[in-house]
């Protein structure tokens, strides 16, 4: 006798739904929920409800500052006296013969030392570039990793790698994994908020996507002035009472469908409607900075003006103030329980005009980021708030000499060795991890892959990167893909 497989599947679903009403069904459901194989009732009605970590973690919130374009570690974090000494000389051919470049002509490329001055800061004595004096003043709270590396060579795949753990579309971002694993403490704001300044990252919204996870875990793009989220306010003629009646009716229909199917995306839809309603009052209050003291506003630099109207790669003349507002908003979001905040600034893609470009861009981020660290610390929030500042890769110690350009004024993409830093959230500050070669070409000590970095980030939140997974397409996918090991030196 031929049996329709679709009918069998439907019959199984009905059996499981009906058996859940029995004593055995309740026991089975409780066991599956305990093992993490069945969503709890609270997570179905509110997917962002707080959840238990795998083990006690030190970090509760994360502010991830992403400098899109590939900031030059050689001019910011990793001084190379030997490179300066050999400035203008060619790199040995055996080093470059199997290396890909975006724009460098290997045959005529020469080493390019940095014009920046590096000095030691704090009790730890970590060296920072002269374009980051304010961030450098926080050296004792910062763990600087000089030995990062990645396989991704071009911007969009590399940005996806740093933000989602793989260099291709469709995977959940770091913020999505964290809110999926832990939920959020905020009732009136999203669990994952995105703020941008400058030209915008080439990866765009794919960098804060929820990928295969339900859409409620995606980053929500906020504006730092005006209406915080587009179309959040009611249109003319629609009162709050009318809106509430409509939402109640939609909620009943969605709950009925949720009861029939148990579809995660329906739960996300219900939560999104309800959150949007609550955000109509909470979001405008968030971006109203009038309650902040003049001292605080000045510390972040809210009134700073850009140096030029067109601004170059770092953004227009309003970018300084916009990025400063974003940093202050990040602290306010942490205070309101938001789990993950992304701050994006672009572009750090200095193929040319490196000196002027990195001076401008560093000037945009240096003051407000340092103010953020000090503000969090003064308020007792830094111990539980992980702050990260990173790009997708670094820049070459070779000067760029693309065909048709006579002047060497920039650096090409360099995935083999770059730097990022972390502070707070259980990170052991006041240290440098890893070492690159004397010319800054490759990692020599304590290599840290992006998957290792992500595994460590999740560990600080009490999450085992091997267990935080989702069954999708027949595979268990996770942020660290098929790699990842904890960088023990980072943990206080």
């Amino acid at each position: 006798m031929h049996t329709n497989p679709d009918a069998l599947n439907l019959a199984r679903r009905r059996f499981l739904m009906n058996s859940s009403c029995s004593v055995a069904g309740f026991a089975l459901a409780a066991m599956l929920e305990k093992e993490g194989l069945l969503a709890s009732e609270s997570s179905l009605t509110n997917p962002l409800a707080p959840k238990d970590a795998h083990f006690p973690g030190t970090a509760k919130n994360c502010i991830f500052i992403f400098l899109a374009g590939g900031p030059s570690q050689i001019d910011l974090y990793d001084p190379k006296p030997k490179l300066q000494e050999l400035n203008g000389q060619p790199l040995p051919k055996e080093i470059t013969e199997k290396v890909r470049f975006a724009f460098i002509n290997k045959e005529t490329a020469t080493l390019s030392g940095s014009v920046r001055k590096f000095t030691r800061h704090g009790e730890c004595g970590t060296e920072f570039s002269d374009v980051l004096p304010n961030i450098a003043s926080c050296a004792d709270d910062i763990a600087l990793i000089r030995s990062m590396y990645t396989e991704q060579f071009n911007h969009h795949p590399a940005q996806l790698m740093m933000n989602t753990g793989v260099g291709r579309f469709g995977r959940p971002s770091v913020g999505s994994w964290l809110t999926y694993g832990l939920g959020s403490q905020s009732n009136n704001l999203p669990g994952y908020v995105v703020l941008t300044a400058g030209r915008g990252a080439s990866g765009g919204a794919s960098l804060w996507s929820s990928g295969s996870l339900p859409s409620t875990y995606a980053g929500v793009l906020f504006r730092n002035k005006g209406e915080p989220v587009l179309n959040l306010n009611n249109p003319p003629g629609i009162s709050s009472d009318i809106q509430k009646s409509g939402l109640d009716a939609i909620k009943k229909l969605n709950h009925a469908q949720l009861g029939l199917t148990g579809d995660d995306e329906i739960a996300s839809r219900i939560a999104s409607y309800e959150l949007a309603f609550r955000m109509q009052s909470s979001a405008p209050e968030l971006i109203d900075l009038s309650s902040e003291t003049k001292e605080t506003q000045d510390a972040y630099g809210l009134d700073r003006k850009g140096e030029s109207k067109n601004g170059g790669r770092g953004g227009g003349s309003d970018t300084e103030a916009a990025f400063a507002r974003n940093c202050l908003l990040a602290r306010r979001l942490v205070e309101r329980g938001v789990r993950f905040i992304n701050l994006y600034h672009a572009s750090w893609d200095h193929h040319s005009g490196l000196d002027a470009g990195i001076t401008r861009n560093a000037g945009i981020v240096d003051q407000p980021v340092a103010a953020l660290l000090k503000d969090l610390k003064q308020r007792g929030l830094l111990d539980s708030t992980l702050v990260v500042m990173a790009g997708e890769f670094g820049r070459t110690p070779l000067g760029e000499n693309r065909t048709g350009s006579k002047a060497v004024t920039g650096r090409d993409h360099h995935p083999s060795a770059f730097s990022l830093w972390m502070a707070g959230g259980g990170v052991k500050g006041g240290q440098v991890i890893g070492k690159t070669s004397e010319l800054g070409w490759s990692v020599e000590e304590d290599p840290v892959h992006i998957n290792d970095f992500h595994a460590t980030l999740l560990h600080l939140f009490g999450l085992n990167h091997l267990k935080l997974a989702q069954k999708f397409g027949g595979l268990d996918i996770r942020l660290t893909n098929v790699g990842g090991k904890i960088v023990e030196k980072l943990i206080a």
Side-chain angles (χ1 to χ4, degrees):
M1 176 179 166
H2 177 71
T3 305
N4 186 334
D6 291 335
L8 276 175
N9 287 333
L10 182 60
R12 288 192 195 101
R13 289 194 203 101
R14 285 174 177 164
F15 167 75
L16 290 170
M17 290 168 62
N18 292 335
S19 67
S20 67
C21 297
S22 66
V23 174
F26 280 124
L28 174 63
M31 181 181 70
L32 291 174
E33 183 179 328
K34 183 177 181 180
E35 295 296 321
L37 299 174
L38 183 69
S40 66
E41 182 180 352
S42 62
S43 67
L44 281 175
T45 55
N46 178 15
L48 288 174
K51 303 163 192 167
D52 292 334
H54 297 141
F55 53 87
T58 49
K60 304 301 179 188
N61 311 86
C62 182
I63 300 172
F64 197 120
I65 304 162
F66 189 73
L67 308 181
S72 172
Q73 76 286 357
I74 291 171
D75 299 281
L76 294 174
Y77 303 120
D78 197 2
K80 293 298 170 190
K82 189 67 174 180
L83 180 63
Q84 188 66 34
E85 178 187 327
L86 299 177
N87 184 62
Q89 297 186 28
L91 196 66
K93 288 184 178 179
E94 60 268 22
I95 294 180
T96 61
E97 62 181 355
K98 294 182 180 180
V99 177
R100 290 178 61 203
F101 294 106
F103 299 107
I104 282 180
N105 184 336
K106 295 182 186 181
E107 286 67 31
T108 58
T110 59
L111 294 167
S112 179
S114 176
V115 300
R116 308 268 44 108
K117 304 300 181 185
F118 283 79
T119 53
R120 297 186 180 277
H121 293 266
E123 293 182 9
C124 61
T126 301
E127 291 178 280
F128 285 89
S129 165
D130 57 2
V131 293
L132 297 175
N134 293 291
I135 290 175
S137 70
C138 303
D140 290 331
D141 293 313
I142 288 173
L144 175 60
I145 308 175
R146 287 181 175 154
S147 53
M148 293 297 304
Y149 72 99
T150 178
E151 299 83 17
Q152 299 302 328
F153 173 78
N154 288 315
H155 290 294
H156 198 165
Q159 290 176 12
L160 285 168
M161 185 77 185
M162 180 58 79
N163 284 271
T164 73
V166 296
R168 58 186 181 272
F169 290 111
R171 290 297 185 92
S173 62
V174 182
S176 297
W177 280 115
L178 271 180
T179 50
Y180 173 70
L182 295 175
S184 176
Q185 296 290 341
S186 179
N187 291 321
N188 300 320
L189 291 166
Y192 178 9
V193 171
V194 178
L195 296 158
T196 68
R199 294 175 58 177
S202 59
S206 64
L207 305 184
W208 54 85
S209 165
S210 60
S212 55
L213 295 175
S215 58
T216 195
Y217 302 112
V220 178
L221 183 62
F222 268 42
R223 302 191 301 171
N224 58 33
K225 288 193 294 186
E227 191 177 8
V229 180
L230 290 175
N231 304 312
L232 180 65
N233 295 332
N234 289 337
I238 302 297
S239 67
S240 294
D241 290 341
I242 293 174
Q243 182 196 24
K244 187 68 167 61
S245 297
L247 287 176
D248 286 344
I250 293 171
K251 182 177 179 180
K252 289 178 181 178
L253 293 171
N254 280 331
H255 268 294
Q257 189 67 11
L258 178 62
L260 289 172
T261 66
D263 186 349
D264 289 345
E265 202 53 48
I266 297 174
S268 293
R269 192 185 309 155
I270 294 169
S272 295
Y273 278 127
E274 294 179 342
L275 177 60
F277 183 73
R278 296 193 299 272
M279 280 172 57
Q280 287 182 333
S281 60
S282 59
E285 182 273 334
L286 165 75
I287 67 167
D288 179 6
L289 304 182
S290 60
S291 62
E292 299 290 342
T293 66
K294 181 70 163 56
E295 181 183 15
T296 296
Q297 294 185 38
D298 290 344
Y300 280 88
L302 298 193
D303 295 328
R304 298 183 306 161
K305 303 295 183 184
E307 296 178 0
S308 62
K309 291 185 178 179
N310 53 24
R313 286 190 169 274
S317 59
D318 61 341
T319 307
E320 278 83 349
F323 187 82
R325 286 182 64 89
N326 288 350
C327 287
L328 181 49
L329 287 172
R331 188 218 81 207
R332 292 168 65 86
L333 286 162
V334 166
E335 289 177 317
R336 287 155 178 78
V338 174
R339 180 74 64 189
F340 195 89
I341 303 106
N342 258 140
L343 304 186
Y344 286 92
H345 175 246
S347 170
W348 292 72
D349 190 21
H350 295 126
H351 291 280
S352 60
L354 172 66
D355 185 37
I358 207 163
T359 300
R360 169 81 199 285
N361 280 8
I364 289 170
V365 305
D366 182 50
Q367 179 182 341
V369 169
L372 173 62
L373 289 175
K374 293 172 182 177
D375 200 7
L376 289 169
K377 189 171 184 177
Q378 184 270 327
R379 293 169 186 267
L381 294 170
L382 188 59
D383 288 344
S384 60
T385 303
L386 177 65
V387 181
V388 178
M389 190 158 165
E392 65 263 37
F393 44 53
R395 313 302 293 197
T396 57
L398 292 170
E400 183 157 318
N401 62 338
R402 69 175 70 193
T403 303
S405 177
K406 294 181 180 180
V408 177
T409 62
R411 303 185 188 277
D412 205 352
H413 308 169
H414 195 59
S416 302
F418 66 103
S419 303
L420 63 77
W421 60 258
M422 308 168 75
V427 166
K428 183 180 179 181
Q431 63 167 330
V432 174
I433 292 175
K435 179 182 177 182
T436 55
S437 61
E438 62 180 1
L439 297 179
W441 186 260
S442 58
V443 173
E444 288 193 339
E445 292 180 10
D446 294 326
V448 180
H449 188 271
I450 289 176
N451 293 152
D452 304 330
F453 162 68
H454 285 155
T456 308
L457 186 153
L458 293 178
H459 181 86
L460 291 167
F461 280 84
L463 294 171
N464 184 330
H465 73 103
L466 299 174
K467 292 183 178 180
L468 185 64
Q470 181 208 28
K471 184 73 73 176
F472 184 75
L475 300 172
D476 283 331
I477 65 167
R478 50 190 176 91
L479 174 61
T480 51
N481 200 27
V482 295
K485 61 181 185 293
I486 309 299
V487 183
E488 297 290 348
K489 289 182 179 181
L490 277 170
I491 300 168

